[in-house]
Amino acid sequence: MFLRSLAVVSVVLFNGLLASTASINYKYARGANSGLGVRQWLESLESWMNLTNSGAGIIPVSLSKDSESYFALMSVGNISFQVALDTASSDLWLVSSGCPTSSCTAVPRYQLGYRSPTFVPVNNNQTTFNVSFVDGTGASGFVARESIQVANMTVASQAFGVVTASNVTLNDEISGVLGLGFPRLSSISNSVVNATPFFATLAQQGQLNYPIFGLSLTRNASGSLTLGAVDASVVTNRSLIEWNEVVPFAPFGSESNTSSYLQWTIQLSGISVNGSDLTPIPTYPKDTSNHSLALFDVGSPGLYGPYQDVARIYSFIEGSRLVGTDGQWVVPCDASEVMSFRFGQQNFTLQPSDYLIGPASGDPDLCLSWPVALPPSSDGIDWQLGGAFLRTVYSIFSFGIDSKEPPMIGLYPLNNASAPVESPDAVASFLSSASATVATTLPNFVFSTPSFTTPPYAFNTSVKAPPGLIVSSGLATSTYSPVLNTRHPDATALPIVSPSPTLFTLIQTNANGQIITSISTASAPSITLGEPPGWTSGASRISTGFPVVMASIVTASLYLLL
């Protein structure tokens, strides 16, 4: 075939957020049966991108309307569900058609009557599943197995909880919870053989490019969950990630004779308010090496800490006061203080719009505020950092590698620690736009800080549990090569993934020198939640315009031989 001329086609794919750039060269010879046309190539581009990232996935994460939880889309037996994300638990559970309570029937349910071809009973559905929460609610049912897919990552025959009774309030068509914690925390893993949690299974099977997941949390639907890689549209300089070793926990009593990883918990180095430093006071200084421990919990909306720390924080904010026995404080809505939490050598700063919950309806000049104080917990975890903190960072959870690397949490700051404090007008505008008013009447008297009896420490103190402990099992397969050495972590070696494009701009120069520009928008498919394939009755037929794709800017150069 004779090549007569050369035309260049540039394709720009974007959603308004710069994430990464790449170039792809494609040669196309003109003539019969000579190759793909431009539009066919465009249609195959996203599939190509997915293939090149087969060990990594990314999906959108949304904030629920009540601002209590973050949720994402997943597939269970080829049925779509929205599930709340939780790093403080490890099990996956879904409400099912076997649950008749109003808390279940109000959301899409896993249809037992469908008899999914990938459903596998466990012990003839006689293995009990139970989950309970600190607010007194809970859910129960049985354990089964199904094919589970999150983003492009699939685990066949994954154990999960099939809920048949529940009084847990679920909103925004959220049908259950995806726990992202360690296997030791899983009730299913402790009752069923070979039933590790979803993310642990991906890591132990070596399906991921690297055994990490990352969270970008926002106040809308523009967040992300990545599996096996870091979101390059958020983390633009991986060398700025602050890495912290996860703290292992000794066994409960005679549970075993070795320590292992239980929660996504790291040491809190310090706290400051407007530059005034506070040294955290741990509840169990002897048992936690005189360090306060902080749990990173995407399933929690705010910040929670011990009274001995929280009361000192508010002592630096003029006009603040304790307003209830539940540990809630209020501050003036025009507060001009910044709070910082130090992990490792870096401060992570919260502006007033980050920690103010909203004005009290009965006294709109006073705002409920984070952190909320809690009584001492026997597990020694003093601080629980949820959405209010996690929105100020991109958080990376490295699962660790058997016999090679301990679990770690990486924090990439999204707030400038040296930025001036937000003005009262800016804060007032934020609170107004967020419709953040809290329906409550504040007491007209002062509450005194309560005192508590510290419960006995829950773990076996004769077994050491140092941060950075290398363990031989329970983490990712040892076939991974470690890159996060605790002394010199090389975050630049971590894989990255970019969200899929939503807008294609095609700029073509043909053989005659003419420039032709066209724009094509990627479709966002409508998804029916809770409806099995071909199902016509009994399912929750709820459609959603869930943002299936976000996007980066990717530049591709095509060389068309005409």
Side-chain angles (χ1 to χ4, degrees), residues 266-286:
I266 62 177
Q267 294 177 342
L268 173 62
S269 304
I271 305 169
S272 67
V273 181
N274 262 16
S276 298
D277 292 333
L278 300 171
T279 300
I281 301 174
T283 301
Y284 299 92
K286 180 181 177 182

Side-chain angles (χ1 to χ4, degrees), residues 525-542:
S526 179
I527 294 170
T528 303
L529 299 173
E531 182 172 307
W535 188 251
T536 57
S537 63
S540 297
R541 301 179 62 86
I542 302 175

Side-chain angles (χ1 to χ4, degrees), residues 225-238:
L225 166 66
T226 58
L227 302 175
V230 174
D231 186 344
S233 69
V234 180
V235 180
T236 57
N237 187 345
R238 282 168 285 171

Side-chain angles (χ1 to χ4, degrees), residues 10 128 157 290 306 321 355 443 459 477 518 521 537:
S10 293
T128 302
S157 197
N290 205 30
R321 63 185 176 97
Y355 64 76
F459 300 96
T477 172
S518 61
T521 302
S537 63

Side-chain angles (χ1 to χ4, degrees), residues 71 73-74 76 79-83 93-99 101-112 163 170-177 527-532 535 538-544:
F71 63 90
L73 190 70
M74 71 183 307
V76 180
I79 308 168
S80 296
F81 293 98
Q82 290 176 168
V83 289
W93 60 269
L94 292 172
V95 296
S96 76
S97 57
C99 180
T101 62
S102 58
S103 59
C104 292
T105 57
V107 299
R109 296 178 293 170
Y110 180 84
Q111 294 297 318
L112 295 172
V163 169
L170 297 171
N171 299 304
D172 293 271
E173 300 168 3
I174 296 171
S175 299
V177 172
I527 294 170
T528 303
L529 299 173
E531 182 172 307
W535 188 251
S540 297
R541 301 179 62 86
I542 302 175
S543 297
T544 176

Side-chain angles (χ1 to χ4, degrees), residues 5-61:
S5 60
L6 181 69
V8 178
V9 176
S10 293
V11 185
V12 181
L13 308 90
F14 62 97
N15 75 337
L17 297 175
L18 177 62
S20 62
T21 60
S23 66
I24 306 164
N25 296 333
Y26 175 71
K27 294 184 177 180
Y28 167 63
R30 183 178 180 180
N33 301 318
S34 56
L36 292 175
V38 172
R39 176 153 297 281
Q40 288 176 292
W41 183 87
L42 284 173
E43 292 172 350
S44 67
L45 180 58
E46 185 173 353
S47 297
W48 179 89
M49 293 173 68
N50 288 335
L51 287 173
T52 60
N53 287 302
S54 58
I58 182 169
I59 53 171
V61 170

Side-chain angles (χ1 to χ4, degrees), residues 349-362:
T349 300
L350 277 68
Q351 292 279 353
S353 63
D354 296 317
Y355 64 76
L356 293 180
I357 300 172
S361 58

Side-chain angles (χ1 to χ4, degrees), residues 12-257:
V12 181
L13 308 90
F14 62 97
N15 75 337
L17 297 175
L18 177 62
S20 62
T21 60
S23 66
I24 306 164
N25 296 333
Y26 175 71
K27 294 184 177 180
Y28 167 63
R30 183 178 180 180
N33 301 318
S34 56
L36 292 175
V38 172
R39 176 153 297 281
Q40 288 176 292
W41 183 87
L42 284 173
E43 292 172 350
S44 67
L45 180 58
E46 185 173 353
S47 297
W48 179 89
M49 293 173 68
N50 288 335
L51 287 173
T52 60
N53 287 302
S54 58
I58 182 169
I59 53 171
V61 170
S62 301
L63 179 63
S64 62
K65 291 187 178 73
D66 61 4
S67 299
E68 291 291 315
S69 58
Y70 282 92
F71 63 90
L73 190 70
M74 71 183 307
S75 174
V76 180
N78 207 26
I79 308 168
S80 296
F81 293 98
Q82 290 176 168
V83 289
L85 304 176
D86 188 13
T87 49
S89 69
S90 297
D91 290 321
L92 166 65
W93 60 269
L94 292 172
V95 296
S96 76
S97 57
C99 180
T101 62
S102 58
S103 59
C104 292
T105 57
V107 299
R109 296 178 293 170
Y110 180 84
Q111 294 297 318
L112 295 172
Y114 168 60
R115 300 187 183 278
S116 165
T118 49
F119 178 89
V120 179
V122 171
N123 190 27
N124 198 28
N125 296 340
Q126 298 302 305
T127 299
T128 302
F129 171 77
N130 285 288
V131 62
S132 58
F133 300 95
V134 293
D135 63 359
T137 62
S140 62
F142 59 89
V143 178
R145 294 182 183 272
E146 254 291 13
S147 175
I148 306 296
Q149 181 176 5
V150 178
N152 57 328
M153 310 303 297
T154 301
V155 174
S157 197
Q158 172 66 50
F160 76 114
V162 181
V163 169
T164 56
S166 172
N167 62 352
V168 179
T169 300
L170 297 171
N171 299 304
D172 293 271
E173 300 168 3
I174 296 171
S175 299
V177 172
L178 174 61
L180 294 167
F182 293 99
R184 182 179 169 188
L185 195 61
S186 165
S187 64
I188 293 178
S189 292
N190 291 320
S191 60
V192 178
V193 176
N194 297 324
T196 54
F198 175 76
F199 184 79
T201 302
L202 292 175
Q204 291 177 6
Q205 292 181 352
Q207 290 195 48
L208 305 163
N209 286 342
Y210 202 75
I212 58 175
F213 65 89
L215 286 168
S216 169
L217 303 183
T218 65
R219 294 185 182 274
N220 49 41
S222 63
S224 70
L225 166 66
T226 58
L227 302 175
V230 174
D231 186 344
S233 69
V234 180
V235 180
T236 57
N237 187 345
R238 282 168 285 171
S239 66
L240 297 181
I241 300 169
E242 178 72 23
W243 291 98
N244 298 267
E245 297 171 341
V246 173
V247 175
F249 286 84
F252 293 101
S254 58
E255 176 188 19
S256 68
N257 59 2

